[in-house]
Amino acid sequence: MIQPKTFYDALVAHGTDFFAGVPDSLLKNFCAYVTDNAPADRHIISANEGSATALAAGYHFATGKIPLIYMQNSGEGNMINPLLSLADPDVYSVPLLILIGWRGEPGVHDEPQHIKQGKVTCALLDAMQVPYEILTDDEAALPAQLDKAYSHITAHSAPYALVIRKGTFADYTLQNNIPVNAEMKREEAIERIMLAASDRTAFISTTGMASRELYELREKHGHGHERDFLTVGSMGHASQIALAVAMQKSTRPIFCLDGDGAAIMQMGGMATVGTRKPTNLVHFVLNNGAHDSVGGQPTVGLEIDLPAIAKACGYERIYSVETAKDLDSALAEIKSTFDGGKNALTFVEVKVAKGARKDLGRPKSTPQENKAALMAFLKD
C-alpha cells in the first residue's frame, strides 16, 4: 500500500501544490491527508468534477504549476467537457495530473451503479486521448511511475491520469473532522419524514447513505419498497427525477430526499424546479456539511444559505429545521396543506449530524426491480 503522506510528499516534490476535486471512497485516505495538510488556498473540494478541472486550469494560468484533480470514475462524465474543450492540447494545453478512483473494476465486486462505469473507465481515457497508468501499490515503484507521469505532462503540457484501484492507499484518519452540532442523525430525520408521508407519497432519494437508510427503514417498519426510487448513481440529479415525476403525477405528493453535497453538485437543478413550480413536490435537503458516504470530507453546505437559494430560485414555502420537534412541526404543516388542497412547491433544509450506523446494509433488490415497482406504484 501507498502511505498518503508518501504520495503527497512526492507530488509536492514534483511541484504540485494545488488540489481540487470531489472525494471518493477509494481515495478517501489520500483526500483526508490533503484536507489536513494542504494550505486552505491550495485545496478546494469542488462542487463537481468539471468545476475541479476549471479550478486546476485557473491555478495553472496564475502560477504556471501543475495542479492535481481527484474524483471517483463516475465523475469522468462531469470532467469531459472542460477536459476536452479547455485543458486539451488542441485548445489551451493545460498540464494537470488526474487521480481517478476505479469503482466497479472488472473482476472486483461492487454495487450495480458502478459496474458499467468500471468497464469503461480506461476506455473513456483512451477515447479522450488522455494517457494513463494504474497507480502502483508498491512504494518502491512509485517514484519511477510519477517521474514518467510528470515527464509526459511537462513535455506535452497536457493532462495525464492515474487510475486508483481499491486498497491502493493505506489508512489515514481525517483529523480536521469538525463535528456538526445537530440533534438528529440523518436516519432519524428520514424516518420521521417517511412516517409522516401519506401512503400515496412517492420518494426519490439521493445517492449514498440516504437511499440505504430509507431502504432499511422500510424494512424496519414492514413497508414495501414500491414507493421509493433509490437514486443509487447520478449524484446530484435526484431533484430532476423528482421534478419530472411530480409534473406528470400532479395529484400525488412527491418527496425528494437530497443531500447537501448532491444539491450543491448540480445546484442549477433547483432553478429548474423553482421555475416549474410543481406544487406537489417537497424537496428535502439533509444537510450535514459533508460528503458522508465517501469519508466525511466537508462540503460548503453549512457555509451557505440553502433556504435563501431555494427562495431565490422560486420555491414557494421554505423551512429550515434543526430539531426533531421543528421537523415534526414542518411535516404537520406540509400534510395539512396537502389535505386542504393548498399545497405549494416546498423546500425543507434539515440539519443533521454526520455519520451512519456501522451495520447499515444495502438494498437487496436490483435497480431494475426498483424501477419496475415504482412505475407500477405510480400508475393511477
Side-chain angles (χ1 to χ4, degrees), residues 8 11-12 15-21 30-31 33-46 52 55-56 58-60 62-70:
Y8 179 87
L11 296 172
V12 172
T16 292
D17 62 359
F18 181 84
F19 308 85
F30 171 70
C31 292
Y33 189 86
V34 172
T35 297
D36 283 342
N37 291 279
D41 64 342
R42 303 291 175 88
H43 180 214
I44 299 178
I45 298 176
S46 57
L55 286 163
Y59 184 77
H60 171 70
T63 66
K65 296 180 180 181
I66 299 171
L68 179 145
I69 62 174
Y70 58 82

Side-chain angles (χ1 to χ4, degrees), residues 12-28:
V12 172
H14 278 281
T16 292
D17 62 359
F18 181 84
F19 308 85
V22 178
D24 166 47
S25 57
L26 303 191
L27 303 176
K28 66 180 181 181

